[in-house]
Amino acid sequence: MDFEWADYLWKLLPVFLVFLGVLSVVPIHVYLERKGAGYIQDRVGPNRVGLLGPDGLLEGLFGWRVTRQRILGGLIQPAADVIKLIGKEDFVPAKADKVLFTLAPMMALLPPLLSFVVVPVGADLNLGPIDESGHPVWLPLQVADLNIGILWVLSVASLSAYGLALGGWASNNKFSLLGGVRATAQMISYEIGMGLIVVCMAMHYQSLSLREMVGQQSHGVLQWGVFSQPLAFAIFVVCAFAENNRLPFDLPECEAELVGGFHTEYNSLKFGMFFQGEYIAMLAMGALIATLFLGGWHYPGYEALRAAAGDAFWANLGVTLLSLAAFGVKTVGFVLFQIWVRWTLPRFRYDQLMSIGWKGIVPLALLNVVVTVAMVLA
Amino acid sequence: MSAHAEGPGGQAPKLPPGVILAPGRHELGAGEKLYLSAIAHGLLNTFKHLIKPKFTIDYDGTEKDNPKKAHTPRPGYRGEHYLKKDEAGHVKCVACFMCAAACPAECIHIEARPAPPEMKDRERLPARFEIDMLRCIYCGMCEEACPVDAIALSPIFNQVSDERVKKVYDLELLLKRGEELGLSQSRHRYRPDGVPGAVPERKDHQ
C-alpha cells in the first residue's frame, strides 16, 4: 500500500487551521458577549482579569505585576470561567440516565464544529511551485470541498437538536424536559424555513457546494447574495436566531419559566460543553450567512489585488490573509449583531414563536422559492 | 408611531371579543404588526447606550489619588462616623451613652471615666469609645441622639479593610478623622441645612 505520510499531514493542515481558529475565537466571542451586555446596560462588563498589571494573568500565576494600570482587563475572564468550571464537582442527578446525560453535551458540541468542515474560510493560498511537478501548489483554506456542502451543514446542524433533547430527557427534571421538547420543536420548525431559503440559494447559485457559491460571489460586491436575494437574507437571519436558541427565540433555556431549560441539571465541564457548543453554533451560523449572502471571504478589491500579486509568495499570502480577515469580520459581525439584538428584544411567547415560524417564515420562504424559480427560468 | 390605524372601508378594525385597549393605545395596523420600525427603534436605543460613556468608577487602587475618580456624596449622605472637639481641643463627648442607647445595631461601645476637676462643664469623659463599623447600619440615630453634638456621620463611604479588627474604630481614630475632614469644630446637627462646612462642597454632578 502506498502510504504517504506527507499527504496525510498535508490534508491535516487545513483541519488544524480551521478548528484551532474556531476554538480560539470562542473565548473572544464570550468576552464580546459579556462586554456588549455590560455596555448596553450602562455597565462596564468584566474588566479585572487581564494580562499584565493588577489582577492580571501574570500576577495570578507568578505574582508579576508588570504595569501599574490594568491592560486589556477582562480579556482573560473566559479563561477564568473555564478554570472555575473545571474546578466544579461533576455532578449527575440521582435518577438521571447516566449514559445519555454524559453523551448529550458531546452531541451538542460536535455538530457545530463539524459544520465548519465545508466552509471555505479564506481564498486559496498560492504556495508557488514547491513540488517536483513545477506547477504552483494551492493550499485550500477549507477542510473538505463537498459538492453537497450546504446539505452537509443543514444535516449536521439539525443533529445538535439531539444533544439538547437528550440532555433535557436524561436529566429527569421537568424543566429540563420541557426545555428539550421546546428545543426540538423550535429547531424543526425553523429548519423548514431555513431549508427553503437554502433551496433558493442553491437555485440561485446553481450549485450545492459552498466553494462554488463563494466563487460566484467573488466577482464583485454586487454579486453578493444579500443584494440578489434580500428577502432570503432577512428570513435566513431570523431563522438563524431561532436555530441558535438566541434571544428573542431562546425558549429552550428561558430562565423566567424553565430555570435553565435543558441544561438546568448540568454543571462543571458538561455545562461548559453545552455552552461552548452554543457559541460555536453561533459562529457557524455567522460563517454560513457570510458564505451564502455576504460573499464569504471575498472583499472589495480582491480581483485587483489578486492580479497584482501574481505569483509572488508574500503578496499572495497577504491577499489570502486579507480574505481570512474579511471572512472573520463578516462572521464576528453577525455574532455582534446577535449580541446587540439579544439585549434589545424581549423573548417571544411559545405560541408566538410557533406562529411566526409557521405562519410567517414558511409562507414567505415559499414565496421566495417561487420568485427565485421564476428568476432562474427567466 | 402612526395615528389610529383604520381598517378596510374606513372603519376602525374590530378587536377580538373581550379585548379592551388601554387608554392611549390603538389597534396595530398591518405595517405596525411587523414591528420592524419598533425593532429598529429599540436597536437604535440600545446602540446609544452601547456607546454612551459609563459613569462607573473603576476602583483599581488609584481612586484615592486620582481627582477624576473623586466622588463626593450628596449633602446629608450618611457615611462613616467621626467625633468632634470643643474650642479647647478636648473631645466633645461627655460619655452619656445616649448614642449607644439609641443605636439599633448596638455597635457603639463606651466606657466612661470621671472628668478631671478643672473641667467645669462636664462630669465624665469617654475612656473608651468604639464603633463596630461592620455592625453599623448607617442610620444616623447616634447623631440625632447626641445632646452635645459630638458624634456625626461623614461623607466617607469607601473605606475597606482586610481585617475585621480594623473596622472597629476607636476614640483616637474617630477624632483624627474629624480633623482630617476639617469638621472637628463644625456645628451642624444631623441634616445639612446650609451650615457652611457641615458637608464638603459638592464637586461633581452627582
Side-chain angles (χ1 to χ4, degrees):
Chain A
M1 202 170 78
D2 196 14
F3 191 77
E4 291 280 351
W5 276 105
D7 281 356
Y8 284 86
L9 290 177
W10 184 245
K11 288 267 188 294
L12 279 177
L13 192 59
V15 178
F16 277 113
L17 283 178
V18 170
F19 285 102
L20 285 183
V22 170
L23 289 176
S24 54
V25 169
V26 168
I28 299 171
H29 183 179
V30 175
Y31 171 75
L32 287 175
E33 169 100 52
R34 298 187 61 178
K35 210 69 181 166
Y39 272 60
I40 285 178
Q41 297 172 355
D42 290 340
R43 296 184 284 112
V44 289
N47 67 345
R48 290 267 158 183
V49 195
L51 269 176
L52 315 169
D55 308 316
L57 186 69
L58 289 180
E59 191 187 10
L61 289 178
F62 310 110
W64 299 342
R65 189 177 282 201
V66 183
T67 52
R68 268 196 77 219
Q69 291 289 315
R70 276 198 293 269
I71 297 188
L72 290 178
L75 196 61
I76 308 298
Q77 189 66 45
D81 290 347
V82 169
I83 292 170
K84 182 198 75 178
L85 280 178
I86 291 174
K88 292 210 168 198
E89 182 192 355
D90 192 8
F91 180 78
V92 182
K95 293 199 174 165
D97 185 326
K98 289 201 174 53
V99 177
L100 288 183
F101 192 80
T102 316
L103 213 58
M106 304 178 196
M107 295 180 72
L109 174 62
L110 265 184
L113 262 180
L114 284 179
S115 59
F116 265 101
V117 164
V118 291
V119 177
V121 296
D124 293 352
L125 180 59
N126 187 350
L127 292 171
I130 50 167
D131 60 358
E132 58 270 17
S133 70
H135 295 295
V137 177
W138 293 78
L139 174 69
L141 290 186
Q142 180 185 22
V143 176
D145 179 24
L146 294 186
N147 55 1
I148 51 156
I150 187 68
L151 294 186
W152 164 265
V153 172
L154 274 189
S155 52
V156 160
S158 33
L159 279 181
S160 61
Y162 281 102
L164 272 52
L166 285 180
W169 166 257
S171 298
N172 193 31
N173 174 323
K174 60 188 168 193
F175 297 119
S176 302
L177 182 59
L178 277 171
V181 169
R182 281 183 178 189
T184 329
Q186 173 177 332
M187 290 181 102
I188 289 172
S189 306
Y190 279 80
E191 243 158 39
I192 294 170
M194 187 172 262
L196 286 171
I197 295 305
V198 165
V199 168
C200 294
M201 297 320 284
M203 283 195 288
H204 177 71
Y205 296 122
Q206 306 270 308
S207 168
L208 289 170
S209 151
L210 291 180
R211 188 185 189 76
E212 171 66 22
M213 288 180 179
V214 176
Q216 289 197 21
Q217 293 175 83
S218 64
H219 302 304
V221 175
L222 287 177
Q223 303 293 317
W224 289 7
V226 62
F227 297 115
S228 39
Q229 292 272 354
L231 180 62
F233 176 68
I235 297 173
F236 198 90
V237 167
V238 174
C239 291
F241 275 85
E243 285 288 299
N244 283 340
N245 301 326
R246 287 288 286 190
L247 268 166
F249 301 117
D250 73 332
L251 286 116
E253 48 184 305
C254 148
E255 302 90 353
E257 298 159 26
L258 299 182
V259 191
F262 59 90
H263 57 57
T264 304
E265 297 286 359
Y266 280 92
N267 63 349
S268 181
L269 272 185
K270 291 202 187 94
F271 170 75
M273 283 161 93
F274 269 126
F275 190 74
Q276 202 180 12
E278 222 163 81
Y279 275 81
I280 297 173
M282 279 178 242
L283 285 173
M285 204 51 90
L288 193 58
I289 285 178
T291 309
L292 284 179
F293 296 101
L294 301 175
W297 44 259
H298 175 254
Y299 53 91
Y302 164 74
E303 303 82 15
L305 279 177
R306 176 60 90 192
D311 275 342
F313 174 73
W314 292 108
N316 267 300
L317 186 67
V319 170
T320 300
L321 284 182
L322 261 180
S323 73
L324 209 60
F327 185 79
V329 164
K330 288 167 189 172
T331 307
V332 174
F334 175 71
V335 158
L336 288 176
F337 180 66
Q338 278 194 323
I339 294 169
W340 185 16
V341 168
R342 174 176 181 186
W343 301 107
T344 303
L345 298 182
R347 183 182 295 122
F348 283 110
R349 233 166 38 217
Y350 195 66
D351 60 314
Q352 290 171 330
L353 171 95
M354 282 297 154
S355 88
I356 290 170
W358 291 98
K359 294 188 202 159
I361 299 289
V362 172
L364 270 179
L366 277 172
L367 176 76
N368 201 60
V369 170
V370 173
V371 172
T372 313
V373 168
M375 275 165 56
V376 169
L377 290 181
Chain B
M1 284 289 133
S2 71
H4 188 93
E6 298 268 310
Q11 286 175 339
K14 269 189 187 158
L15 289 167
V19 174
I20 303 164
L21 284 174
R25 299 289 182 87
H26 62 270
E27 203 190 353
L28 298 180
E32 284 171 301
K33 270 194 176 159
L34 277 175
Y35 294 106
L36 284 181
S37 75
I39 287 174
H41 196 73
L43 285 173
L44 195 68
N45 188 14
T46 40
F47 190 74
K48 274 182 199 153
H49 281 271
L50 182 75
I51 55 177
K52 211 165 100 173
K54 308 292 175 269
F55 43 77
T56 312
I57 297 171
D58 187 1
Y59 275 47
D60 56 355
T62 66
E63 70 273 359
K64 292 267 163 60
D65 36 61
N66 186 347
K68 276 185 191 162
K69 292 181 180 175
H71 168 74
T72 312
R74 57 174 172 74
Y77 181 85
R78 300 195 296 263
E80 295 190 344
H81 304 76
Y82 63 96
L83 285 177
K84 296 184 188 173
K85 290 177 173 175
D86 58 17
E87 288 82 352
H90 298 116
V91 59
K92 243 180 172 179
C93 174
V94 293
C96 67
F97 294 84
M98 293 283 266
C99 52
C103 180
E106 298 183 2
C107 68
I108 305 180
H109 308 285
I110 308 174
E111 274 172 25
R113 66 178 162 92
E118 62 268 22
M119 292 181 90
K120 301 289 180 213
D121 56 343
R122 69 194 73 175
E123 291 167 9
R124 295 190 294 187
L125 282 175
R128 194 171 136 246
F129 192 107
E130 284 177 359
I131 306 182
D132 187 346
M133 298 311 298
L134 296 174
R135 294 199 62 148
C136 177
I137 58 168
Y138 302 93
C139 62
M141 300 271 237
C142 46
E143 197 179 15
E144 276 194 87
C146 185
V148 292
D149 190 17
I151 188 169
L153 300 186
S154 73
I156 294 173
F157 61 93
N158 53 3
Q159 297 287 324
V160 292
S161 154
D162 48 5
E163 274 180 73
R164 293 185 145 254
V165 186
K166 286 185 188 161
K167 289 303 279 183
V168 180
Y169 291 175
D170 59 4
L171 184 62
E172 197 187 345
L173 193 143
L174 290 163
L175 284 170
K176 202 178 94 198
R177 174 157 292 174
E179 273 165 25
E180 281 168 2
L181 289 165
L183 297 176
S184 260
Q185 308 270 337
S186 69
R187 292 221 164 269
H188 89 287
R189 289 270 313 164
Y190 190 52
R191 290 279 121 194
D193 41 13
V195 183
V199 174
E201 262 182 61
R202 296 175 66 181
K203 286 172 195 146
D204 54 0
H205 59 291
Q206 54 182 355

